mmCIF file with all atom_site columns, all heavy atoms in Angstrom:
data_model
loop_
_atom_site.group_PDB
_atom_site.id
_atom_site.type_symbol
_atom_site.label_atom_id
_atom_site.label_alt_id
_atom_site.label_comp_id
_atom_site.label_asym_id
_atom_site.label_entity_id
_atom_site.label_seq_id
_atom_site.pdbx_PDB_ins_code
_atom_site.Cartn_x
_atom_site.Cartn_y
_atom_site.Cartn_z
_atom_site.occupancy
_atom_site.B_iso_or_equiv
_atom_site.pdbx_formal_charge
_atom_site.auth_seq_id
_atom_site.auth_comp_id
_atom_site.auth_asym_id
_atom_site.auth_atom_id
_atom_site.pdbx_PDB_model_num
ATOM 1   N N   . VAL L 1 1  ? 2.956   61.940 25.852 1.00 97.00 ? 6  VAL L N   1
ATOM 2   C CA  . VAL L 1 1  ? 2.302   61.666 24.568 1.00 97.00 ? 6  VAL L CA  1
ATOM 3   C C   . VAL L 1 1  ? 2.373   60.157 24.199 1.00 97.00 ? 6  VAL L C   1
ATOM 4   O O   . VAL L 1 1  ? 1.435   59.609 23.663 1.00 97.00 ? 6  VAL L O   1
ATOM 5   C CB  . VAL L 1 1  ? 2.940   62.471 23.390 1.00 97.00 ? 6  VAL L CB  1
ATOM 6   C CG1 . VAL L 1 1  ? 2.250   62.141 22.094 1.00 97.00 ? 6  VAL L CG1 1
ATOM 7   C CG2 . VAL L 1 1  ? 2.759   64.022 23.713 1.00 97.00 ? 6  VAL L CG2 1
ATOM 8   N N   . VAL L 1 2  ? 3.482   59.561 24.600 1.00 98.00 ? 7  VAL L N   1
ATOM 9   C CA  . VAL L 1 2  ? 3.664   58.053 24.365 1.00 98.00 ? 7  VAL L CA  1
ATOM 10  C C   . VAL L 1 2  ? 2.488   57.341 24.925 1.00 98.00 ? 7  VAL L C   1
ATOM 11  O O   . VAL L 1 2  ? 1.865   56.476 24.347 1.00 98.00 ? 7  VAL L O   1
ATOM 12  C CB  . VAL L 1 2  ? 4.995   57.630 24.832 1.00 98.00 ? 7  VAL L CB  1
ATOM 13  C CG1 . VAL L 1 2  ? 5.157   56.119 24.736 1.00 98.00 ? 7  VAL L CG1 1
ATOM 14  C CG2 . VAL L 1 2  ? 6.165   58.332 24.089 1.00 98.00 ? 7  VAL L CG2 1
ATOM 15  N N   . PHE L 1 3  ? 2.198   57.517 26.288 1.00 98.00 ? 8  PHE L N   1
ATOM 16  C CA  . PHE L 1 3  ? 1.230   56.777 26.949 1.00 98.00 ? 8  PHE L CA  1
ATOM 17  C C   . PHE L 1 3  ? -0.137  57.187 26.505 1.00 98.00 ? 8  PHE L C   1
ATOM 18  O O   . PHE L 1 3  ? -1.070  56.268 26.227 1.00 98.00 ? 8  PHE L O   1
ATOM 19  C CB  . PHE L 1 3  ? 1.339   56.929 28.466 1.00 98.00 ? 8  PHE L CB  1
ATOM 20  C CG  . PHE L 1 3  ? 0.414   56.085 29.177 1.00 98.00 ? 8  PHE L CG  1
ATOM 21  C CD1 . PHE L 1 3  ? 0.377   54.664 29.064 1.00 98.00 ? 8  PHE L CD1 1
ATOM 22  C CD2 . PHE L 1 3  ? -0.471  56.551 30.174 1.00 98.00 ? 8  PHE L CD2 1
ATOM 23  C CE1 . PHE L 1 3  ? -0.425  53.913 29.778 1.00 98.00 ? 8  PHE L CE1 1
ATOM 24  C CE2 . PHE L 1 3  ? -1.285  55.762 30.901 1.00 98.00 ? 8  PHE L CE2 1
ATOM 25  C CZ  . PHE L 1 3  ? -1.277  54.453 30.722 1.00 98.00 ? 8  PHE L CZ  1
ATOM 26  N N   . GLN L 1 4  ? -0.390  58.475 26.245 1.00 98.00 ? 9  GLN L N   1
ATOM 27  C CA  . GLN L 1 4  ? -1.680  58.969 25.730 1.00 98.00 ? 9  GLN L CA  1
ATOM 28  C C   . GLN L 1 4  ? -2.045  58.276 24.404 1.00 98.00 ? 9  GLN L C   1
ATOM 29  O O   . GLN L 1 4  ? -3.131  57.858 24.209 1.00 98.00 ? 9  GLN L O   1
ATOM 30  C CB  . GLN L 1 4  ? -1.642  60.414 25.536 1.00 98.00 ? 9  GLN L CB  1
ATOM 31  C CG  . GLN L 1 4  ? -2.909  61.108 25.050 1.00 98.00 ? 9  GLN L CG  1
ATOM 32  C CD  . GLN L 1 4  ? -2.763  62.494 24.586 1.00 98.00 ? 9  GLN L CD  1
ATOM 33  O OE1 . GLN L 1 4  ? -1.764  62.831 23.968 1.00 98.00 ? 9  GLN L OE1 1
ATOM 34  N NE2 . GLN L 1 4  ? -3.745  63.379 24.898 1.00 98.00 ? 9  GLN L NE2 1
ATOM 35  N N   . GLU L 1 5  ? -0.985  58.180 23.481 1.00 98.00 ? 10 GLU L N   1
ATOM 36  C CA  . GLU L 1 5  ? -1.231  57.649 22.203 1.00 98.00 ? 10 GLU L CA  1
ATOM 37  C C   . GLU L 1 5  ? -1.530  56.092 22.318 1.00 98.00 ? 10 GLU L C   1
ATOM 38  O O   . GLU L 1 5  ? -2.300  55.546 21.584 1.00 98.00 ? 10 GLU L O   1
ATOM 39  C CB  . GLU L 1 5  ? -0.037  57.766 21.257 1.00 98.00 ? 10 GLU L CB  1
ATOM 40  C CG  . GLU L 1 5  ? 0.019   59.209 20.713 1.00 98.00 ? 10 GLU L CG  1
ATOM 41  C CD  . GLU L 1 5  ? -1.234  59.468 19.828 1.00 98.00 ? 10 GLU L CD  1
ATOM 42  O OE1 . GLU L 1 5  ? -1.571  58.634 18.998 1.00 98.00 ? 10 GLU L OE1 1
ATOM 43  O OE2 . GLU L 1 5  ? -1.861  60.558 20.067 1.00 98.00 ? 10 GLU L OE2 1
ATOM 44  N N   . TRP L 1 6  ? -0.875  55.420 23.267 1.00 98.00 ? 11 TRP L N   1
ATOM 45  C CA  . TRP L 1 6  ? -1.150  54.024 23.474 1.00 98.00 ? 11 TRP L CA  1
ATOM 46  C C   . TRP L 1 6  ? -2.604  53.768 23.933 1.00 98.00 ? 11 TRP L C   1
ATOM 47  O O   . TRP L 1 6  ? -3.376  52.957 23.465 1.00 98.00 ? 11 TRP L O   1
ATOM 48  C CB  . TRP L 1 6  ? -0.230  53.347 24.460 1.00 98.00 ? 11 TRP L CB  1
ATOM 49  C CG  . TRP L 1 6  ? -0.383  51.875 24.511 1.00 98.00 ? 11 TRP L CG  1
ATOM 50  C CD1 . TRP L 1 6  ? 0.334   50.912 23.807 1.00 98.00 ? 11 TRP L CD1 1
ATOM 51  C CD2 . TRP L 1 6  ? -1.330  51.145 25.392 1.00 98.00 ? 11 TRP L CD2 1
ATOM 52  N NE1 . TRP L 1 6  ? -0.120  49.705 24.053 1.00 98.00 ? 11 TRP L NE1 1
ATOM 53  C CE2 . TRP L 1 6  ? -1.137  49.828 25.009 1.00 98.00 ? 11 TRP L CE2 1
ATOM 54  C CE3 . TRP L 1 6  ? -2.315  51.508 26.288 1.00 98.00 ? 11 TRP L CE3 1
ATOM 55  C CZ2 . TRP L 1 6  ? -1.906  48.755 25.645 1.00 98.00 ? 11 TRP L CZ2 1
ATOM 56  C CZ3 . TRP L 1 6  ? -3.074  50.591 26.866 1.00 98.00 ? 11 TRP L CZ3 1
ATOM 57  C CH2 . TRP L 1 6  ? -2.907  49.232 26.575 1.00 98.00 ? 11 TRP L CH2 1
ATOM 58  N N   . VAL L 1 7  ? -3.052  54.686 24.912 1.00 98.00 ? 12 VAL L N   1
ATOM 59  C CA  . VAL L 1 7  ? -4.418  54.580 25.373 1.00 98.00 ? 12 VAL L CA  1
ATOM 60  C C   . VAL L 1 7  ? -5.397  54.778 24.324 1.00 98.00 ? 12 VAL L C   1
ATOM 61  O O   . VAL L 1 7  ? -6.427  54.084 24.128 1.00 98.00 ? 12 VAL L O   1
ATOM 62  C CB  . VAL L 1 7  ? -4.629  55.514 26.557 1.00 98.00 ? 12 VAL L CB  1
ATOM 63  C CG1 . VAL L 1 7  ? -6.124  55.601 26.950 1.00 98.00 ? 12 VAL L CG1 1
ATOM 64  C CG2 . VAL L 1 7  ? -3.785  55.176 27.775 1.00 98.00 ? 12 VAL L CG2 1
ATOM 65  N N   . ASN L 1 8  ? -5.158  55.777 23.420 1.00 98.00 ? 13 ASN L N   1
ATOM 66  C CA  . ASN L 1 8  ? -6.027  56.069 22.357 1.00 98.00 ? 13 ASN L CA  1
ATOM 67  C C   . ASN L 1 8  ? -6.075  54.905 21.362 1.00 98.00 ? 13 ASN L C   1
ATOM 68  O O   . ASN L 1 8  ? -7.201  54.587 20.848 1.00 98.00 ? 13 ASN L O   1
ATOM 69  C CB  . ASN L 1 8  ? -5.496  57.278 21.530 1.00 98.00 ? 13 ASN L CB  1
ATOM 70  C CG  . ASN L 1 8  ? -5.881  58.565 22.286 1.00 98.00 ? 13 ASN L CG  1
ATOM 71  O OD1 . ASN L 1 8  ? -6.665  58.613 23.209 1.00 98.00 ? 13 ASN L OD1 1
ATOM 72  N ND2 . ASN L 1 8  ? -5.085  59.615 22.010 1.00 98.00 ? 13 ASN L ND2 1
ATOM 73  N N   . GLN L 1 9  ? -4.993  54.280 21.076 1.00 98.00 ? 14 GLN L N   1
ATOM 74  C CA  . GLN L 1 9  ? -4.963  53.071 20.144 1.00 98.00 ? 14 GLN L CA  1
ATOM 75  C C   . GLN L 1 9  ? -5.713  51.824 20.841 1.00 98.00 ? 14 GLN L C   1
ATOM 76  O O   . GLN L 1 9  ? -6.454  51.098 20.117 1.00 98.00 ? 14 GLN L O   1
ATOM 77  C CB  . GLN L 1 9  ? -3.515  52.678 19.851 1.00 98.00 ? 14 GLN L CB  1
ATOM 78  C CG  . GLN L 1 9  ? -2.819  53.634 18.949 1.00 98.00 ? 14 GLN L CG  1
ATOM 79  C CD  . GLN L 1 9  ? -3.598  53.829 17.541 1.00 98.00 ? 14 GLN L CD  1
ATOM 80  O OE1 . GLN L 1 9  ? -4.031  52.834 16.952 1.00 98.00 ? 14 GLN L OE1 1
ATOM 81  N NE2 . GLN L 1 9  ? -3.776  55.010 17.127 1.00 98.00 ? 14 GLN L NE2 1
ATOM 82  N N   . TRP L 1 10 ? -5.600  51.740 22.099 1.00 98.00 ? 15 TRP L N   1
ATOM 83  C CA  . TRP L 1 10 ? -6.316  50.754 22.868 1.00 98.00 ? 15 TRP L CA  1
ATOM 84  C C   . TRP L 1 10 ? -7.827  50.976 22.699 1.00 98.00 ? 15 TRP L C   1
ATOM 85  O O   . TRP L 1 10 ? -8.699  50.063 22.423 1.00 98.00 ? 15 TRP L O   1
ATOM 86  C CB  . TRP L 1 10 ? -5.873  50.714 24.303 1.00 98.00 ? 15 TRP L CB  1
ATOM 87  C CG  . TRP L 1 10 ? -6.857  49.984 25.223 1.00 98.00 ? 15 TRP L CG  1
ATOM 88  C CD1 . TRP L 1 10 ? -6.957  48.585 25.358 1.00 98.00 ? 15 TRP L CD1 1
ATOM 89  C CD2 . TRP L 1 10 ? -7.788  50.532 26.216 1.00 98.00 ? 15 TRP L CD2 1
ATOM 90  N NE1 . TRP L 1 10 ? -7.896  48.278 26.314 1.00 98.00 ? 15 TRP L NE1 1
ATOM 91  C CE2 . TRP L 1 10 ? -8.380  49.476 26.802 1.00 98.00 ? 15 TRP L CE2 1
ATOM 92  C CE3 . TRP L 1 10 ? -8.093  51.808 26.524 1.00 98.00 ? 15 TRP L CE3 1
ATOM 93  C CZ2 . TRP L 1 10 ? -9.309  49.617 27.852 1.00 98.00 ? 15 TRP L CZ2 1
ATOM 94  C CZ3 . TRP L 1 10 ? -9.001  51.990 27.451 1.00 98.00 ? 15 TRP L CZ3 1
ATOM 95  C CH2 . TRP L 1 10 ? -9.636  50.939 28.143 1.00 98.00 ? 15 TRP L CH2 1
ATOM 96  N N   . LEU L 1 11 ? -8.270  52.231 22.868 1.00 98.00 ? 16 LEU L N   1
ATOM 97  C CA  . LEU L 1 11 ? -9.674  52.553 22.760 1.00 98.00 ? 16 LEU L CA  1
ATOM 98  C C   . LEU L 1 11 ? -10.196 52.297 21.328 1.00 98.00 ? 16 LEU L C   1
ATOM 99  O O   . LEU L 1 11 ? -11.232 51.687 21.060 1.00 98.00 ? 16 LEU L O   1
ATOM 100 C CB  . LEU L 1 11 ? -9.880  54.071 23.036 1.00 98.00 ? 16 LEU L CB  1
ATOM 101 C CG  . LEU L 1 11 ? -10.181 54.451 24.487 1.00 98.00 ? 16 LEU L CG  1
ATOM 102 C CD1 . LEU L 1 11 ? -10.211 55.997 24.617 1.00 98.00 ? 16 LEU L CD1 1
ATOM 103 C CD2 . LEU L 1 11 ? -11.517 53.873 24.896 1.00 98.00 ? 16 LEU L CD2 1
ATOM 104 N N   . HIS L 1 12 ? -9.379  52.626 20.394 1.00 98.00 ? 17 HIS L N   1
ATOM 105 C CA  . HIS L 1 12 ? -9.744  52.421 18.871 1.00 98.00 ? 17 HIS L CA  1
ATOM 106 C C   . HIS L 1 12 ? -9.918  51.001 18.644 1.00 98.00 ? 17 HIS L C   1
ATOM 107 O O   . HIS L 1 12 ? -10.935 50.618 17.981 1.00 98.00 ? 17 HIS L O   1
ATOM 108 C CB  . HIS L 1 12 ? -8.626  53.065 17.985 1.00 98.00 ? 17 HIS L CB  1
ATOM 109 C CG  . HIS L 1 12 ? -8.789  52.795 16.560 1.00 98.00 ? 17 HIS L CG  1
ATOM 110 N ND1 . HIS L 1 12 ? -9.860  53.387 15.808 1.00 98.00 ? 17 HIS L ND1 1
ATOM 111 C CD2 . HIS L 1 12 ? -8.140  51.975 15.773 1.00 98.00 ? 17 HIS L CD2 1
ATOM 112 C CE1 . HIS L 1 12 ? -9.735  52.976 14.545 1.00 98.00 ? 17 HIS L CE1 1
ATOM 113 N NE2 . HIS L 1 12 ? -8.819  52.095 14.479 1.00 98.00 ? 17 HIS L NE2 1
ATOM 114 N N   . LEU L 1 13 ? -9.024  50.129 19.047 1.00 98.00 ? 18 LEU L N   1
ATOM 115 C CA  . LEU L 1 13 ? -9.036  48.691 18.810 1.00 98.00 ? 18 LEU L CA  1
ATOM 116 C C   . LEU L 1 13 ? -10.198 48.070 19.507 1.00 98.00 ? 18 LEU L C   1
ATOM 117 O O   . LEU L 1 13 ? -10.864 47.117 18.981 1.00 98.00 ? 18 LEU L O   1
ATOM 118 C CB  . LEU L 1 13 ? -7.728  48.057 19.114 1.00 98.00 ? 18 LEU L CB  1
ATOM 119 C CG  . LEU L 1 13 ? -6.486  48.452 18.271 1.00 98.00 ? 18 LEU L CG  1
ATOM 120 C CD1 . LEU L 1 13 ? -5.258  47.879 18.799 1.00 98.00 ? 18 LEU L CD1 1
ATOM 121 C CD2 . LEU L 1 13 ? -6.701  47.996 16.879 1.00 98.00 ? 18 LEU L CD2 1
ATOM 122 N N   . MET L 1 14 ? -10.449 48.457 20.743 1.00 97.00 ? 19 MET L N   1
ATOM 123 C CA  . MET L 1 14 ? -11.615 47.893 21.553 1.00 97.00 ? 19 MET L CA  1
ATOM 124 C C   . MET L 1 14 ? -12.850 48.199 20.803 1.00 97.00 ? 19 MET L C   1
ATOM 125 O O   . MET L 1 14 ? -13.785 47.405 20.793 1.00 97.00 ? 19 MET L O   1
ATOM 126 C CB  . MET L 1 14 ? -11.619 48.484 22.898 1.00 97.00 ? 19 MET L CB  1
ATOM 127 C CG  . MET L 1 14 ? -10.775 47.767 23.912 1.00 97.00 ? 19 MET L CG  1
ATOM 128 S SD  . MET L 1 14 ? -11.499 48.143 25.476 1.00 97.00 ? 19 MET L SD  1
ATOM 129 C CE  . MET L 1 14 ? -11.704 49.895 25.410 1.00 97.00 ? 19 MET L CE  1
ATOM 130 N N   . ARG L 1 15 ? -12.985 49.383 20.346 1.00 96.00 ? 20 ARG L N   1
ATOM 131 C CA  . ARG L 1 15 ? -14.269 49.759 19.589 1.00 96.00 ? 20 ARG L CA  1
ATOM 132 C C   . ARG L 1 15 ? -14.419 48.838 18.330 1.00 96.00 ? 20 ARG L C   1
ATOM 133 O O   . ARG L 1 15 ? -15.445 48.435 17.945 1.00 96.00 ? 20 ARG L O   1
ATOM 134 C CB  . ARG L 1 15 ? -14.342 51.147 19.230 1.00 96.00 ? 20 ARG L CB  1
ATOM 135 C CG  . ARG L 1 15 ? -14.502 52.104 20.467 1.00 96.00 ? 20 ARG L CG  1
ATOM 136 C CD  . ARG L 1 15 ? -14.768 53.497 20.010 1.00 96.00 ? 20 ARG L CD  1
ATOM 137 N NE  . ARG L 1 15 ? -15.022 54.429 21.095 1.00 96.00 ? 20 ARG L NE  1
ATOM 138 C CZ  . ARG L 1 15 ? -16.220 54.544 21.695 1.00 96.00 ? 20 ARG L CZ  1
ATOM 139 N NH1 . ARG L 1 15 ? -17.238 53.839 21.314 1.00 96.00 ? 20 ARG L NH1 1
ATOM 140 N NH2 . ARG L 1 15 ? -16.434 55.400 22.679 1.00 96.00 ? 20 ARG L NH2 1
ATOM 141 N N   . GLY L 1 16 ? -13.272 48.592 17.673 1.00 97.00 ? 21 GLY L N   1
ATOM 142 C CA  . GLY L 1 16 ? -13.329 47.895 16.381 1.00 97.00 ? 21 GLY L CA  1
ATOM 143 C C   . GLY L 1 16 ? -13.572 46.403 16.653 1.00 97.00 ? 21 GLY L C   1
ATOM 144 O O   . GLY L 1 16 ? -14.221 45.783 15.824 1.00 97.00 ? 21 GLY L O   1
ATOM 145 N N   . ASP L 1 17 ? -13.037 45.792 17.719 1.00 97.00 ? 22 ASP L N   1
ATOM 146 C CA  . ASP L 1 17 ? -13.203 44.372 17.838 1.00 97.00 ? 22 ASP L CA  1
ATOM 147 C C   . ASP L 1 17 ? -14.353 43.961 18.696 1.00 97.00 ? 22 ASP L C   1
ATOM 148 O O   . ASP L 1 17 ? -14.599 42.747 18.966 1.00 97.00 ? 22 ASP L O   1
ATOM 149 C CB  . ASP L 1 17 ? -11.886 43.748 18.461 1.00 97.00 ? 22 ASP L CB  1
ATOM 150 C CG  . ASP L 1 17 ? -11.623 44.165 19.879 1.00 97.00 ? 22 ASP L CG  1
ATOM 151 O OD1 . ASP L 1 17 ? -12.463 44.610 20.594 1.00 97.00 ? 22 ASP L OD1 1
ATOM 152 O OD2 . ASP L 1 17 ? -10.443 43.989 20.243 1.00 97.00 ? 22 ASP L OD2 1
ATOM 153 N N   . GLY L 1 18 ? -15.178 44.970 19.189 1.00 97.00 ? 23 GLY L N   1
ATOM 154 C CA  . GLY L 1 18 ? -16.410 44.674 19.966 1.00 97.00 ? 23 GLY L CA  1
ATOM 155 C C   . GLY L 1 18 ? -16.302 44.567 21.397 1.00 97.00 ? 23 GLY L C   1
ATOM 156 O O   . GLY L 1 18 ? -17.206 44.387 22.197 1.00 97.00 ? 23 GLY L O   1
ATOM 157 N N   . THR L 1 19 ? -15.009 44.716 21.844 1.00 98.00 ? 24 THR L N   1
ATOM 158 C CA  . THR L 1 19 ? -14.739 44.592 23.340 1.00 98.00 ? 24 THR L CA  1
ATOM 159 C C   . THR L 1 19 ? -15.539 45.722 24.121 1.00 98.00 ? 24 THR L C   1
ATOM 160 O O   . THR L 1 19 ? -16.125 45.502 25.144 1.00 98.00 ? 24 THR L O   1
ATOM 161 C CB  . THR L 1 19 ? -13.307 44.649 23.665 1.00 98.00 ? 24 THR L CB  1
ATOM 162 O OG1 . THR L 1 19 ? -12.680 43.590 22.988 1.00 98.00 ? 24 THR L OG1 1
ATOM 163 C CG2 . THR L 1 19 ? -13.045 44.502 25.157 1.00 98.00 ? 24 THR L CG2 1
ATOM 164 N N   . PHE L 1 20 ? -15.394 46.928 23.560 1.00 98.00 ? 25 PHE L N   1
ATOM 165 C CA  . PHE L 1 20 ? -16.042 48.131 24.295 1.00 98.00 ? 25 PHE L CA  1
ATOM 166 C C   . PHE L 1 20 ? -17.504 47.848 24.420 1.00 98.00 ? 25 PHE L C   1
ATOM 167 O O   . PHE L 1 20 ? -18.112 47.994 25.520 1.00 98.00 ? 25 PHE L O   1
ATOM 168 C CB  . PHE L 1 20 ? -15.704 49.371 23.563 1.00 98.00 ? 25 PHE L CB  1
ATOM 169 C CG  . PHE L 1 20 ? -16.208 50.590 24.219 1.00 98.00 ? 25 PHE L CG  1
ATOM 170 C CD1 . PHE L 1 20 ? -15.468 51.236 25.183 1.00 98.00 ? 25 PHE L CD1 1
ATOM 171 C CD2 . PHE L 1 20 ? -17.505 51.035 24.039 1.00 98.00 ? 25 PHE L CD2 1
ATOM 172 C CE1 . PHE L 1 20 ? -15.926 52.373 25.866 1.00 98.00 ? 25 PHE L CE1 1
ATOM 173 C CE2 . PHE L 1 20 ? -18.035 52.189 24.699 1.00 98.00 ? 25 PHE L CE2 1
ATOM 174 C CZ  . PHE L 1 20 ? -17.183 52.796 25.606 1.00 98.00 ? 25 PHE L CZ  1
ATOM 175 N N   . ASP L 1 21 ? -18.236 47.504 23.305 1.00 97.00 ? 26 ASP L N   1
ATOM 176 C CA  . ASP L 1 21 ? -19.606 47.282 23.445 1.00 97.00 ? 26 ASP L CA  1
ATOM 177 C C   . ASP L 1 21 ? -19.985 46.178 24.335 1.00 97.00 ? 26 ASP L C   1
ATOM 178 O O   . ASP L 1 21 ? -20.997 46.259 24.966 1.00 97.00 ? 26 ASP L O   1
ATOM 179 C CB  . ASP L 1 21 ? -20.263 47.084 21.978 1.00 97.00 ? 26 ASP L CB  1
ATOM 180 C CG  . ASP L 1 21 ? -20.117 48.287 21.090 1.00 97.00 ? 26 ASP L CG  1
ATOM 181 O OD1 . ASP L 1 21 ? -19.994 49.442 21.694 1.00 97.00 ? 26 ASP L OD1 1
ATOM 182 O OD2 . ASP L 1 21 ? -20.227 48.236 19.873 1.00 97.00 ? 26 ASP L OD2 1
ATOM 183 N N   . ARG L 1 22 ? -19.248 45.115 24.275 1.00 97.00 ? 27 ARG L N   1
ATOM 184 C CA  . ARG L 1 22 ? -19.575 43.935 25.135 1.00 97.00 ? 27 ARG L CA  1
ATOM 185 C C   . ARG L 1 22 ? -19.483 44.346 26.625 1.00 97.00 ? 27 ARG L C   1
ATOM 186 O O   . ARG L 1 22 ? -20.354 43.923 27.456 1.00 97.00 ? 27 ARG L O   1
ATOM 187 C CB  . ARG L 1 22 ? -18.569 42.839 24.825 1.00 97.00 ? 27 ARG L CB  1
ATOM 188 C CG  . ARG L 1 22 ? -18.774 41.649 25.729 1.00 97.00 ? 27 ARG L CG  1
ATOM 189 C CD  . ARG L 1 22 ? -17.750 40.520 25.427 1.00 97.00 ? 27 ARG L CD  1
ATOM 190 N NE  . ARG L 1 22 ? -16.396 40.962 25.410 1.00 97.00 ? 27 ARG L NE  1
ATOM 191 C CZ  . ARG L 1 22 ? -15.634 41.109 26.520 1.00 97.00 ? 27 ARG L CZ  1
ATOM 192 N NH1 . ARG L 1 22 ? -16.128 40.860 27.705 1.00 97.00 ? 27 ARG L NH1 1
ATOM 193 N NH2 . ARG L 1 22 ? -14.336 41.472 26.449 1.00 97.00 ? 27 ARG L NH2 1
ATOM 194 N N   . ILE L 1 23 ? -18.473 45.140 27.005 1.00 98.00 ? 28 ILE L N   1
ATOM 195 C CA  . ILE L 1 23 ? -18.310 45.520 28.398 1.00 98.00 ? 28 ILE L CA  1
ATOM 196 C C   . ILE L 1 23 ? -19.410 46.577 28.747 1.00 98.00 ? 28 ILE L C   1
ATOM 197 O O   . ILE L 1 23 ? -19.947 46.619 29.884 1.00 98.00 ? 28 ILE L O   1
ATOM 198 C CB  . ILE L 1 23 ? -16.905 46.046 28.676 1.00 98.00 ? 28 ILE L CB  1
ATOM 199 C CG1 . ILE L 1 23 ? -15.896 44.832 28.644 1.00 98.00 ? 28 ILE L CG1 1
ATOM 200 C CG2 . ILE L 1 23 ? -16.788 46.723 30.005 1.00 98.00 ? 28 ILE L CG2 1
ATOM 201 C CD1 . ILE L 1 23 ? -14.482 45.175 28.644 1.00 98.00 ? 28 ILE L CD1 1
ATOM 202 N N   . ALA L 1 24 ? -19.605 47.577 27.803 1.00 96.00 ? 29 ALA L N   1
ATOM 203 C CA  . ALA L 1 24 ? -20.482 48.737 28.165 1.00 96.00 ? 29 ALA L CA  1
ATOM 204 C C   . ALA L 1 24 ? -21.888 48.353 28.216 1.00 96.00 ? 29 ALA L C   1
ATOM 205 O O   . ALA L 1 24 ? -22.637 48.967 29.025 1.00 96.00 ? 29 ALA L O   1
ATOM 206 C CB  . ALA L 1 24 ? -20.191 49.821 27.157 1.00 96.00 ? 29 ALA L CB  1
ATOM 207 N N   . LYS L 1 25 ? -22.338 47.495 27.381 1.00 95.00 ? 30 LYS L N   1
ATOM 208 C CA  . LYS L 1 25 ? -23.845 47.230 27.235 1.00 95.00 ? 30 LYS L CA  1
ATOM 209 C C   . LYS L 1 25 ? -24.494 46.906 28.577 1.00 95.00 ? 30 LYS L C   1
ATOM 210 O O   . LYS L 1 25 ? -25.576 47.503 28.849 1.00 95.00 ? 30 LYS L O   1
ATOM 211 C CB  . LYS L 1 25 ? -24.041 46.159 26.221 1.00 95.00 ? 30 LYS L CB  1
ATOM 212 C CG  . LYS L 1 25 ? -25.586 45.969 25.912 1.00 95.00 ? 30 LYS L CG  1
ATOM 213 C CD  . LYS L 1 25 ? -25.808 45.045 24.717 1.00 95.00 ? 30 LYS L CD  1
ATOM 214 C CE  . LYS L 1 25 ? -27.197 44.928 24.377 1.00 95.00 ? 30 LYS L CE  1
ATOM 215 N NZ  . LYS L 1 25 ? -27.543 44.090 23.249 1.00 95.00 ? 30 LYS L NZ  1
ATOM 216 N N   . PRO L 1 26 ? -24.055 46.044 29.426 1.00 95.00 ? 31 PRO L N   1
ATOM 217 C CA  . PRO L 1 26 ? -24.764 45.806 30.731 1.00 95.00 ? 31 PRO L CA  1
ATOM 218 C C   . PRO L 1 26 ? -24.858 46.923 31.625 1.00 95.00 ? 31 PRO L C   1
ATOM 219 O O   . PRO L 1 26 ? -25.730 47.042 32.476 1.00 95.00 ? 31 PRO L O   1
ATOM 220 C CB  . PRO L 1 26 ? -23.914 44.680 31.337 1.00 95.00 ? 31 PRO L CB  1
ATOM 221 C CG  . PRO L 1 26 ? -23.064 44.064 30.217 1.00 95.00 ? 31 PRO L CG  1
ATOM 222 C CD  . PRO L 1 26 ? -22.861 45.148 29.255 1.00 95.00 ? 31 PRO L CD  1
#
């Protein structure tokens, strides 16, 4: 659960700061 929660928080922050969209768009 410790690692799963870290990955989830990473996903959440990436979506919030625009990193996910920047990488995914191309």
